[in-house]
Amino acid sequence: MRDADAARADGLSTRAVHAGAPSPVPDAPVVQPVFQTTTFYTAAEPAAAVRYTRYGTNPNHEALGVKLAALEGGEAALVVASGNAAMMLALLTLVSAGDGVLAQRELYGGTLRLLLRELPRLGIETTLLPFDGDWAGGMTDRTRAVLTEVPINPTIRVPDLPAITAAAGARGIPVIVDATFATPINLRPLEHGATLVVHSATKYLGGHSDVTAGVIVGRADLVAEAREKLISFGPVLDPHAAWLLDRGVKTLAARMTVHNANGLAIARRLAAHTAIEHVDYPGLEMHADHERARTLLAGFGGMIGIVVRGGDAAAVRMLERLRLMRVAPSLGGVETLVSMPRYTSHAALPRAERHALGIADGYVRLSIGIEDADDLIRDLEAALDG
Ligand SMILES: Cc1ncc(COP(=O)(O)O)c(C=O)c1O
């Protein structure tokens, strides 16, 4: 196997293809097979830790761990059954009863569920603040983890990650970053002082809308602790799903190049369209965080938020007229998917709270795929003009 040390000298595309891949010895397979097995033979008296798929030590898990750690520049990585499982295990690695979590209020709804519904039942208190609020002032003696999402779903705002990690670092508090929208191609949070990176690998890492998975990357001791939580709670990734994810990650860098280019081209075109009131895309000069995005991100990604003039009814009419883009929640796949956050990720919130998060009436989120940008633009313009 091409190990993490060798991979560190490689570029990101090379790491995506080769890190964790089988050693090129004669008759070995070029592609690691699926180890579709729950368990592995041992000696009657095992000399080392036994392998067991639920422990995340199936070879398909381990190969992916090497690849993802190499891509993020972390010591180790753990793959689990979903993004939400990864977030829960990351949080439980850092916090226990009596501790507090300081998080931004603009988070994926499923993360807010964990923070506000589940953690309090375990005696863990969450304090929320606006992503551009006073992080240092929000930290107390109880705070044992700081949590941010970069960029933010669905407004693509870009928190000041170096400032957040500096404030937390000054108090020795670890920082978890959900970098699902960025992927390691556009942002590697560990380089900016983060402690653990979490991804919903269901999105860009898998890239084909066919695998549900999650990832935790960071220091080896913390990832080992997260594995202990995996062993206890059991949200393991099935080996075949791990194999599919591995295949998806191999093309991550190539796909992100197209997502970044398509996102920018389409955001620019939408910004000039009279049926659109507003476009949220950090690659546009008018975006509130454009300057920060330029320094922090290697690419602006494929996620765009738009406000359709005429409110929700006009937005629904536009969605109904699309012929190439499909209406579905989720994101990060090769195909363009669009959705209205008020019916999906932010359905549980009252209108005023949605507005406070920047989700106006008529808000549509676009996950731009890798189709030809001209075809996507034609589809959007026909739907808007129709
Ligand atoms: C930013 C972000 N983080 C985490 C998740 C949760 O991922 P999963 O659906 O794989 O559990 C999502 C899902 O949409 C997301 O958008």
Side-chain angles (χ1 to χ4, degrees), residues 2 7 23 32 152 220 241 243 249 285 291:
R2 189 163 178 82
S23 301
Q32 191 188 41
I152 292 170
W243 185 88
V249 177
E285 289 74 11
E291 280 310 314

Side-chain angles (χ1 to χ4, degrees), residues 334-350:
V334 291
E335 65 285 292
T336 297
L337 295 180
V338 303
S339 61
M340 290 176 65
R342 66 158 299 173
Y343 297 123
T344 56
S345 54
H346 295 72
L349 295 185

Side-chain angles (χ1 to χ4, degrees), residues 80 82-95 101 107-108 110-112 114-115 119 146-149 176-180 196-200 214-216:
V80 296
S82 70
N84 251 47
M87 182 56 79
M88 193 60 192
L89 299 188
L91 284 163
L92 292 180
T93 294
L94 299 176
V95 295
V101 178
L107 288 170
Y108 166 62
T111 307
L112 285 172
L114 287 176
L115 292 173
L119 291 191
V146 159
L147 171 57
T148 176
E149 185 176 299
I176 302 174
V177 179
D178 181 337
T180 297
L196 289 176
V197 183
V198 168
H199 287 280
S200 166
V215 181
I216 304 169

Side-chain angles (χ1 to χ4, degrees), residues 6 63 68 77 80 169 177 191 214 229 231 242 249 268 281 296 307 313 320:
L68 292 163
V80 296
V177 179
E191 293 175 2
K229 307 294 178 238
I231 291 171
V249 177
R268 283 195 175 132
Y281 187 74
L296 207 53
V307 181
E320 286 172 346

Side-chain angles (χ1 to χ4, degrees), residues 130-148:
F131 79 93
D132 52 359
D134 177 10
W135 286 85
M139 292 170 206
T140 68
D141 291 343
R142 286 181 71 179
T143 312
R144 292 284 178 278
V146 159
L147 171 57
T148 176

Side-chain angles (χ1 to χ4, degrees), residues 12-271:
L12 292 174
S13 301
T14 308
R15 291 183 213 183
V17 175
H18 291 292
S23 301
V25 294
D27 289 335
V30 171
V31 174
Q32 191 188 41
V34 188
F35 288 78
Q36 196 70 44
T37 180
T38 57
T39 192
F40 300 81
Y41 295 118
T42 71
E45 191 179 2
V50 298
R51 240 184 228 284
Y52 187 55
T53 290
R54 196 191 86 241
Y55 296 176
T57 52
N58 182 298
N60 294 111
H61 298 142
E62 291 186 337
L64 254 177
V66 170
K67 193 187 287 293
L68 292 163
L71 280 168
E72 289 286 0
E75 287 176 6
L78 181 69
V79 288
V80 296
S82 70
N84 251 47
M87 182 56 79
M88 193 60 192
L89 299 188
L91 284 163
L92 292 180
T93 294
L94 299 176
V95 295
S96 305
D99 295 340
V101 178
L102 180 66
Q104 70 196 34
R105 64 178 186 183
E106 304 88 351
L107 288 170
Y108 166 62
T111 307
L112 285 172
R113 265 181 90 100
L114 287 176
L115 292 173
L116 302 177
R117 279 199 198 188
E118 305 304 334
L119 291 191
R121 296 174 55 234
L122 305 177
I124 300 159
E125 179 190 83
T126 296
T127 306
L128 297 179
L129 81 173
F131 79 93
D132 52 359
D134 177 10
W135 286 85
M139 292 170 206
T140 68
D141 291 343
R142 286 181 71 179
T143 312
R144 292 284 178 278
V146 159
L147 171 57
T148 176
E149 185 176 299
V150 189
I152 292 170
N153 178 14
T155 52
I156 335 293
R157 296 295 303 265
V158 182
D160 189 350
L161 181 59
I164 295 169
T165 57
R171 297 186 67 141
I173 301 172
V175 178
I176 302 174
V177 179
D178 181 337
T180 297
F181 274 35
T183 82
I185 305 304
N186 285 346
L187 174 72
R188 287 170 301 287
L190 300 176
E191 293 175 2
H192 300 280
T195 314
L196 289 176
V197 183
V198 168
H199 287 280
S200 166
T202 312
K203 317 299 179 189
Y204 287 107
L205 296 184
H208 296 74
S209 306
D210 55 8
V211 183
T212 299
V215 181
I216 304 169
V217 193
R219 261 180 19 219
D221 61 326
L222 293 177
V223 173
E225 190 53 40
R227 184 185 303 283
E228 293 299 319
K229 307 294 178 238
L230 169 69
I231 291 171
S232 297
F233 292 104
V236 73
L237 187 63
D238 178 78
H240 184 250
W243 185 88
L244 276 174
L245 177 57
D246 198 324
R247 184 165 83 158
V249 177
K250 285 179 190 173
T251 57
L252 177 67
R255 283 185 284 110
M256 288 313 294
T257 303
V258 184
H259 286 297
N260 289 338
N262 279 359
L264 187 59
I266 291 166
R268 283 195 175 132
R269 190 64 79 94
L270 286 170

